[in-house]
């Protein structure tokens, strides 16, 4: 009886080892599918992007894709760089190329929802935010953000159909500047307004903030 159990145990362990080995072999083969030159171009593009050298990053990502057209990371890097440069149509086209390769790429789906929202293409934006909920589930931070975006779309559509007459007042170049401004606060006597603005000359992850 003991020998029989030991034999079954060894058989099961052998199967587990075989499956694990096959999985590792498959992963290694997948990594080897990307040519070395493509990985080198991607690394240059990644470094250039992080330093805000977007034109150089684009050229490097494009070179990587010439070596390997379905290189997911290079497609993601190229699309994201276009997005940061404000070239929305190119970003959308590249993110869609990425989804052709990886249909469940979360950041591509999320970015398309955001880009279409900024273009007021609410039907397309809604489609991609719903795709997040349908693909990744309705629990957690990602789902919460997607649902909030869907709520924003509903409100935006309602607001456009029900405009309100307002007369905004420009408070001067120190406040209404070309910088990204947010978190306004009035002093107790309501005589002074403080706000935070970002200096957009650096990469988004390393921007300067000032009051």
């Amino acid at each position: 009886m003991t020998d029989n159990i030991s034999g079954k145990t060894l058989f099961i362990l052998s199967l587990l080892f075989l499956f694990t080995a096959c999985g590792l072999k498959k992963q290694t083969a997948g990594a080897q599918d990307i040519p070395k030159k493509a990985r080198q171009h991607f690394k240059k593009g990644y470094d250039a992007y992080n330093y805000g050298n977007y034109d150089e990053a684009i050229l490097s990502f494009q070179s990587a894709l010439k070596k390997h057209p379905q290189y997911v990371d290079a497609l993601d890097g190229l699309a994201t760089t276009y997005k940061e440069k404000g070239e929305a149509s190119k970003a959308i086209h590249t993110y869609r190329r990425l989804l052709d390769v990886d249909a469940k790429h979360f950041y591509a789906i999320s970015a398309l929802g955001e880009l279409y929202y900024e273009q007021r293409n609410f039907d397309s934006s809604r489609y991609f935010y719903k795709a997040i909920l349908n693909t990744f589930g309705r629990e957690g931070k990602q789902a919460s953000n997607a649902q909030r975006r869907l709520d924003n779309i509903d409100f935006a559509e309602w607001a456009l159909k029900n405009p309100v007459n307002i007369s905004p007042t420009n408070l001067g170049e120190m406040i209404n500047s070309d910088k990204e401004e947010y978190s306004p606060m009035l002093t107790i006597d309501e005589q002074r307004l403080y706000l935070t603005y970002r200096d957009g000359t650096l990469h988004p992850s390393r921007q300067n903030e000032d009051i």
Side-chain angles (χ1 to χ4, degrees), residues 70-138:
Q70 294 186 321
Y71 192 174
V72 169
D73 289 342
L75 285 167
D76 188 16
L78 181 60
T80 302
T81 307
Y82 281 139
K83 182 172 178 287
E84 292 298 333
K85 279 195 70 180
E87 298 183 23
S89 60
K90 291 181 179 180
I92 288 172
H93 173 73
T94 310
Y95 278 126
R96 282 187 170 275
R97 282 180 59 191
L98 173 52
L99 289 182
D100 288 338
V101 179
D102 182 359
K104 294 184 178 181
H105 195 284
F106 173 80
Y107 292 105
I109 298 172
S110 179
L112 284 167
E114 179 183 347
L115 287 164
Y116 280 123
Y117 181 84
E118 291 173 352
Q119 293 183 339
R120 294 191 179 185
N121 185 341
F122 296 133
D123 287 339
S124 294
S125 181
R126 181 182 284 109
Y127 171 85
F128 285 104
Y129 284 124
K130 283 186 175 181
I132 291 176
L133 299 178
N134 294 333
T135 304
F136 303 100
R138 298 175 180 271

Side-chain angles (χ1 to χ4, degrees), residues 130-150:
K130 283 186 175 181
I132 291 176
L133 299 178
N134 294 333
T135 304
F136 303 100
R138 298 175 180 271
E139 301 293 334
K141 185 176 180 181
Q142 294 175 347
S144 177
N145 289 339
Q147 186 57 59
R148 184 166 60 251
R149 293 287 185 147
L150 288 169

Side-chain angles (χ1 to χ4, degrees), residues 42-43 58 64 122 169-170 183 207:
F42 170 78
K43 177 64 167 56
I58 287 171
F122 296 133
T169 301
N170 190 309
S183 300
Q207 290 200 37

Side-chain angles (χ1 to χ4, degrees), residues 6 9 16 24 35 56 60-61 69-70 75 83 88 111 138 140 168 196:
S6 299
T9 302
L16 289 174
L24 290 174
E56 181 182 340
S60 295
F61 290 137
Q70 294 186 321
L75 285 167
K83 182 172 178 287
R138 298 175 180 271
T196 304

Side-chain angles (χ1 to χ4, degrees), residues 22-69:
C22 290
L24 290 174
K25 184 177 180 181
K26 184 176 181 181
Q27 290 177 6
T28 303
Q32 291 174 345
D33 286 343
I34 301 174
K36 182 178 179 180
K37 281 288 186 181
R39 295 198 298 270
Q40 289 175 342
H41 286 306
F42 170 78
K43 177 64 167 56
K44 289 181 180 179
Y46 180 81
D47 291 341
Y49 173 84
N50 282 331
Y51 280 99
N53 300 325
Y54 295 144
D55 291 335
E56 181 182 340
I58 287 171
L59 291 175
S60 295
F61 290 137
Q62 289 174 336
S63 295
L65 289 167
K66 286 179 181 179
K67 298 294 182 181
H68 190 73

Side-chain angles (χ1 to χ4, degrees), residues 120 122 152-164:
R120 294 191 179 185
F122 296 133
N152 288 344
I153 290 171
D154 291 340
F155 176 77
E157 289 178 328
W158 177 88
L160 288 172
K161 294 177 182 178
N162 300 273
V164 177

